[in-house]
Amino acid sequence: MTAQVIVLNGGSSSGKSGIARCLQAVLPDPWLAFGCDTLVDAMPASMQTASEGIEFAADGGVTVGPEFRTLEAAWIEGISTMARAGARVIVDEVFLGGAASQQRWQKSLGDLRVLWVGVRCDSAVAAGRETARGDRVAGMAASQADVVHHGVLYDMEVDTTDTESLECARAIAARAA
């Protein structure tokens, strides 16, 4: 399988972004990398505090509303269109809805060759990374560590608890070739 799209799914602070950067370094062709943080950062600030958009609870929970879903659908379609136009794309995602989130991507990606990768990390280790980062709501890593994988089907999984991003990226690159 020569992948056109690599989808990395894992909870907050599981190591997806680091793996994406390493994939860009080890893959033989240029790959674009987009993360769900890119989508959230592109939204107006007002959508990050409203029930129609995306809300981050004090305990680390995340709730998304209908306006977020509308923009998310457009974003997913845009990434799929770029891949169809010839760009190779790495997607750094958090499937808050588990299988339902994956199905939204599958519908849009359709006929493209996609490598689905689960990025796992022990919740205590991810929580430690979350604290060190300082840019996440405390509790987000622990609350997402397992739920993002419920019902999701992968071609492969990596675990960043004790494995460096570069080693994970090399394993993924070998499978994507």
Side-chain angles (χ1 to χ4, degrees):
M1 164 190 193
T2 302
Q4 296 167 281
V5 179
I6 299 171
V7 178
L8 306 172
N9 174 51
S12 179
S13 300
S14 63
K16 300 176 308 297
S17 298
I19 291 171
R21 285 188 298 276
C22 289
L23 278 167
Q24 288 179 304
V26 302
L27 288 165
D29 298 312
W31 284 71
L32 300 174
F34 296 99
C36 53
D37 289 345
T38 308
L39 171 62
V40 173
D41 290 345
M43 292 181 177
S46 62
M47 282 197 57
Q48 296 180 31
T49 58
S51 61
E52 297 81 24
I54 185 167
E55 291 184 294
F56 300 95
D59 66 356
V62 180
T63 307
V64 298
E67 288 182 22
F68 178 90
R69 287 286 181 229
T70 298
L71 292 176
E72 177 191 46
W75 182 69
I76 291 170
E77 193 61 35
I79 289 175
S80 299
T81 299
M82 283 189 287
R84 281 192 184 82
R88 298 189 189 286
V89 181
I90 302 162
V91 178
D92 165 353
E93 242 312 356
V94 179
F95 289 169
L96 293 174
S101 297
Q102 184 180 36
Q103 289 166 359
R104 284 192 291 278
W105 278 98
Q106 287 171 323
K107 181 180 176 187
S108 182
L109 294 170
D111 59 334
L112 295 168
R113 292 182 309 277
V114 180
L115 180 65
W116 299 95
V117 182
V119 179
R120 295 189 181 268
C121 182
D122 177 81
S123 63
V125 171
R129 292 176 186 167
E130 173 182 79
T131 301
R133 289 173 71 160
D135 66 348
R136 295 288 189 263
V137 176
M140 190 179 291
S143 71
Q144 294 176 2
D146 293 321
V147 71
V148 300
H149 300 291
H150 288 175
V152 179
L153 302 175
Y154 297 114
D155 297 307
M156 69 179 296
E157 294 187 33
V158 295
D159 190 323
T160 65
T161 303
D162 297 309
T163 307
E164 293 295 322
S165 295
L166 183 57
E167 187 176 335
C168 293
R170 286 182 176 141
I172 294 165
R175 186 73 184 267

